[in-house]
Amino acid sequence: LNGDMVAALFNEELGAVVQVRSADAPNMLAQLNQALDHCAHLIGSVTNDNQIHIVKGNTQFNDNRVRLH
Protein backbone atom coordinates (compact mmCIF):
# COMPACT_ATOMS: atom_id res chain seq x y z
CA LEU A 1 0.00 0.00 0.00
CA ASN A 2 1.41 3.33 -1.02
CA GLY A 3 0.63 6.70 0.46
CA ASP A 4 -1.41 7.32 3.60
CA MET A 5 -1.95 3.90 5.25
CA VAL A 6 -4.77 5.09 7.53
CA ALA A 7 -6.66 6.66 4.61
CA ALA A 8 -6.22 3.50 2.56
CA LEU A 9 -7.42 1.19 5.32
CA PHE A 10 -10.31 3.33 6.62
CA ASN A 11 -11.85 4.61 3.39
CA GLU A 12 -15.34 3.95 2.07
CA GLU A 13 -14.24 1.70 -0.78
CA LEU A 14 -15.24 -1.95 -0.80
CA GLY A 15 -12.70 -4.11 1.00
CA ALA A 16 -12.21 -6.95 3.44
CA VAL A 17 -9.83 -8.03 6.16
CA VAL A 18 -9.22 -11.77 6.35
CA GLN A 19 -7.42 -13.41 9.27
CA VAL A 20 -5.46 -16.58 8.51
CA ARG A 21 -2.78 -18.56 10.31
CA SER A 22 0.73 -17.19 9.79
CA ALA A 23 1.74 -20.44 8.10
CA ASP A 24 -1.10 -20.06 5.57
CA ALA A 25 -0.58 -16.36 4.82
CA PRO A 26 1.84 -16.66 1.86
CA ASN A 27 -0.40 -19.16 0.04
CA MET A 28 -3.59 -17.19 0.79
CA LEU A 29 -1.98 -13.95 -0.36
CA ALA A 30 -0.79 -15.59 -3.60
CA GLN A 31 -4.27 -16.99 -4.32
CA LEU A 32 -5.99 -13.67 -3.58
CA ASN A 33 -3.54 -11.71 -5.71
CA GLN A 34 -4.01 -14.12 -8.62
CA ALA A 35 -7.80 -13.77 -8.39
CA LEU A 36 -7.88 -10.03 -7.61
CA ASP A 37 -5.22 -8.70 -9.97
CA HIS A 38 -2.67 -8.10 -7.19
CA CYS A 39 -4.98 -6.05 -4.96
CA ALA A 40 -4.39 -8.07 -1.76
CA HIS A 41 -1.88 -6.98 0.88
CA LEU A 42 -0.53 -8.34 4.14
CA ILE A 43 -1.46 -5.58 6.59
CA GLY A 44 -0.81 -6.92 10.07
CA SER A 45 -0.83 -9.59 12.69
CA VAL A 46 -2.81 -10.50 15.79
CA THR A 47 -1.63 -9.22 19.18
CA ASN A 48 -2.61 -10.11 22.74
CA ASP A 49 -3.64 -6.58 23.68
CA ASN A 50 -6.69 -4.55 22.70
CA GLN A 51 -4.66 -2.05 20.70
CA ILE A 52 -4.70 -1.52 16.97
CA HIS A 53 -1.24 -0.55 15.70
CA ILE A 54 -0.69 0.47 12.10
CA VAL A 55 3.01 0.68 11.38
CA LYS A 56 4.74 1.45 8.10
CA GLY A 57 8.27 2.44 8.97
CA ASN A 58 6.92 4.38 11.94
CA THR A 59 3.61 4.33 13.80
CA GLN A 60 0.81 5.60 11.56
CA PHE A 61 -2.06 4.86 13.94
CA ASN A 62 -2.40 3.52 17.48
CA ASP A 63 -5.66 3.31 19.41
CA ASN A 64 -7.71 1.06 21.65
CA ARG A 65 -9.89 -1.42 19.76
CA VAL A 66 -12.87 -0.82 22.06
CA ARG A 67 -12.84 2.94 21.38
CA LEU A 68 -13.09 2.25 17.65
CA HIS A 69 -16.23 0.13 18.01
Side-chain angles (χ1 to χ4, degrees):
L1 292 172
N2 295 322
D4 184 348
M5 291 285 289
V6 175
L9 295 172
F10 293 96
N11 67 55
E12 295 182 12
E13 299 296 324
L14 180 62
V17 174
V18 179
Q19 181 179 333
V20 297
R21 295 182 307 179
S22 295
D24 296 335
N27 186 41
M28 176 64 79
L29 191 59
Q31 289 182 34
L32 287 171
N33 274 324
Q34 182 178 8
L36 300 174
D37 195 26
H38 301 282
C39 291
H41 305 276
L42 179 63
I43 62 167
S45 60
V46 176
T47 63
N48 290 326
D49 60 12
N50 279 320
Q51 293 293 114
I52 295 179
H53 311 276
I54 299 174
V55 178
K56 183 179 180 184
N58 59 353
T59 299
Q60 304 287 314
F61 180 85
N62 185 23
D63 206 344
N64 186 285
R65 179 188 58 82
V66 175
R67 286 191 344 170
L68 295 174
H69 185 270

